[in-house]
Amino acid sequence: MTAPRLVGNDPPGPLPLRLVPPEEDVSPDQEQAVVDDRAVLAASLARPEQFALIFDRHAAAIRAYCARRVGGSAAEDLVAEVFLTAFEQRARFDPARAVAPWLFGIATNLLHRLHRQEQRGLRALARTGRDPVVEGVAERAAERVDAVRFSRELAAALGAMPAPERDVLLLFAWANLGYAEIADALSIPVGTVRSRLSRGRTRLRAALPSNSGPNPLTEKDTP
């Protein structure tokens, strides 16, 4: 996957939100990482301690995604539950899948139980515009993704958005997943991912002020 450019100022500061679809090509290194994850997960069936490698590789990204949805303190407990669930379900993992979308899917399902807390977090973002992810993960992610300054208008729009659209949009924008990966994470067709993302982007376009600067929402989707 090619590294897209940044739009707007780099964090720390208001929340980065990638809204321009990524290229769907995958580099050889990324393909190898997917294969390695599957091999580690398979090895952990006989040697459970091997699962720690899965945690080491993916916990930071899962934590950043959860923290932006429900806040830092709740995210810590949620991350522990995500990996406990993954560990308990690893024997049922489909080796045709990639591990990262599987983990983000578990996280998203668990987040649904925290709907009220997520709404409170989004209302806080709407008031302050402050990103709860203030350390290295957010900074490194911001170097890889298109970002806009997270505004109060955006936070309010996310809070009002139907949950299925918000899940797709935030897996795309904050987890940096492509269409096929989101479809895998949520067990929905790629066409449904595209339609939900389109509707979500339309809502955000309407919420953004016209003078908010460079707006990747208006750019054409990649095929």
Side-chain angles (χ1 to χ4, degrees), residues 99-165:
V99 170
W102 176 59
L103 293 172
F104 277 108
I106 293 171
T108 301
N109 287 334
L110 293 173
L111 279 161
H112 290 166
R113 300 184 320 186
L114 301 176
H115 172 73
R116 291 182 181 177
Q117 187 157 348
E118 180 175 22
Q119 291 297 312
R120 287 196 297 270
L122 288 170
R123 285 196 295 270
L125 282 172
R127 289 194 306 271
T128 68
R130 294 183 60 187
D131 185 352
V133 181
V134 294
E135 305 209 284
V137 171
E139 294 168 10
R140 290 194 299 272
E143 294 170 1
R144 295 195 305 268
V145 302
D146 287 292
V148 295
R149 304 288 288 185
F150 196 97
S151 67
R152 293 178 175 85
E153 293 83 0
L154 270 172
L158 286 172
M161 188 177 294
E165 293 176 19

Side-chain angles (χ1 to χ4, degrees), residues 55-195:
F55 181 88
D56 291 343
R57 291 175 181 178
H58 298 283
I62 297 292
R63 184 180 297 109
Y65 170 68
C66 293
R68 286 183 172 139
R69 296 195 64 163
V70 295
S73 58
E76 292 298 326
D77 291 338
L78 192 59
V79 169
E81 191 169 1
V82 167
F83 284 93
L84 176 60
T85 301
F87 180 80
E88 292 173 344
Q89 295 181 0
R90 71 194 191 284
R92 300 197 299 273
F93 176 76
D94 180 356
R97 304 179 66 182
V99 170
W102 176 59
L103 293 172
F104 277 108
I106 293 171
T108 301
N109 287 334
L110 293 173
L111 279 161
H112 290 166
R113 300 184 320 186
L114 301 176
H115 172 73
R116 291 182 181 177
Q117 187 157 348
E118 180 175 22
Q119 291 297 312
R120 287 196 297 270
L122 288 170
R123 285 196 295 270
L125 282 172
R127 289 194 306 271
T128 68
R130 294 183 60 187
D131 185 352
V133 181
V134 294
E135 305 209 284
V137 171
E139 294 168 10
R140 290 194 299 272
E143 294 170 1
R144 295 195 305 268
V145 302
D146 287 292
V148 295
R149 304 288 288 185
F150 196 97
S151 67
R152 293 178 175 85
E153 293 83 0
L154 270 172
L158 286 172
M161 188 177 294
E165 293 176 19
R166 185 168 60 245
D167 287 344
V168 168
L169 182 67
L170 298 187
L171 284 169
F172 172 78
W174 293 347
N176 199 26
L177 299 187
Y179 296 138
E181 292 171 317
I182 296 170
D184 185 7
L186 300 179
S187 299
I188 58 176
V190 171
T192 302
V193 171
R194 291 180 179 274
S195 63

